[in-house]
Amino acid sequence: RPRGTAHTYETSSPSMDISKASNFERFVFDLVGLDGAKVREFWSKVDAGTTPDAAAFDIKGTPYWDALNKFGIVSGKSTHQNRLNTIREVWEEYGVMIDTHTADGLKVGLEQRRPSLPLICLETALPAKFAETIQEALGRLPERPQALEGIEDLPQRCEVMDADVVKLKAFISANVPQK
């Protein structure tokens, strides 16, 4: 069940601030054996819900529930202070600056790690994307990739379009150089 706006909060880890995650939909696609029709059936229940509690699907008691075990998914929690602490600890111990999302993953991963197994944590974003939080954690701004220098000063272009695949394809064909 997606969280309603009353339970979706703005944090220093904005990728965690969403209520209907496309990554989750992709995971469900894997869970149901790449069955697009089954995913569509589940999501139609979510989309048809007239209240937050009705906008849900439940896989308990189905073979999909049992299949969850093969994925080994666990969850945890990371607060703003946890993020700051993790960013600071990684910087102090390894001299590596990590972003807020990586800090969330690393913090929860370390809590859930089995002692006999190594932990592999992949960076999820650039620290420069979260300069304010990095400044708060480390007392300094992150290095900015040269390609992003002055990006705020560049002109912004935005094209509002109807949700129409034919129009979208035509726009892309007209505006993206062909090789």
Side-chain angles (χ1 to χ4, degrees):
R1 171 183 48 164
R3 291 176 290 180
T5 53
H7 294 101
T8 303
Y9 307 100
E10 184 177 338
T11 72
S12 54
S13 244
S15 286
M16 310 303 172
D17 303 346
I18 56 178
S19 61
K20 189 176 178 187
S22 58
N23 288 341
F24 180 67
E25 187 171 352
R26 288 191 289 273
F27 169 70
V28 170
F29 182 65
D30 285 339
L31 180 66
V32 300
L34 311 181
D35 184 347
K38 182 53 77 174
V39 174
R40 198 168 23 260
E41 175 190 326
F42 287 157
W43 253 250
S44 68
K45 292 177 183 178
V46 171
D47 293 338
T50 55
T51 67
D53 289 335
F57 63 89
D58 188 351
I59 62 169
K60 288 180 186 161
T62 72
Y64 307 122
W65 182 256
D66 298 330
L68 281 172
N69 291 326
K70 77 176 183 180
F71 289 97
I73 291 177
V74 295
S75 65
K77 177 182 177 179
S78 180
T79 66
H80 180 69
Q81 190 60 53
N82 295 140
R83 274 176 221 114
L84 296 175
N85 293 344
T86 303
I87 291 166
R88 197 174 296 121
E89 289 164 9
V90 170
W91 178 253
E92 290 170 358
E93 186 165 342
Y94 302 103
V96 174
M97 190 179 292
I98 61 173
D99 65 275
T100 60
H101 301 142
T102 301
D104 289 333
L106 183 57
K107 185 258 184 196
V108 172
L110 287 168
E111 289 175 347
Q112 300 290 339
R113 185 176 87 180
R114 294 183 202 150
S116 61
L117 295 176
L119 174 67
I120 299 172
C121 182
L122 303 177
E123 180 180 52
T124 59
L126 293 174
K129 242 180 121 174
F130 309 95
E132 186 176 306
T133 302
I134 300 300
Q135 174 76 39
E136 185 179 355
L138 302 179
R140 61 169 286 189
L141 290 172
E143 289 184 21
R144 189 172 230 198
Q146 188 173 359
L148 297 180
E149 288 297 330
I151 194 168
E152 297 87 355
D153 301 326
L154 295 175
Q156 293 186 25
R157 293 179 287 278
C158 178
E159 188 75 33
V160 178
M161 300 181 67
D162 293 333
D164 181 312
V165 173
V166 174
K167 289 180 181 179
L168 177 60
K169 286 180 179 180
F171 178 82
I172 292 170
S173 293
N175 293 282
V176 176
Q178 303 297 315
K179 290 184 178 185

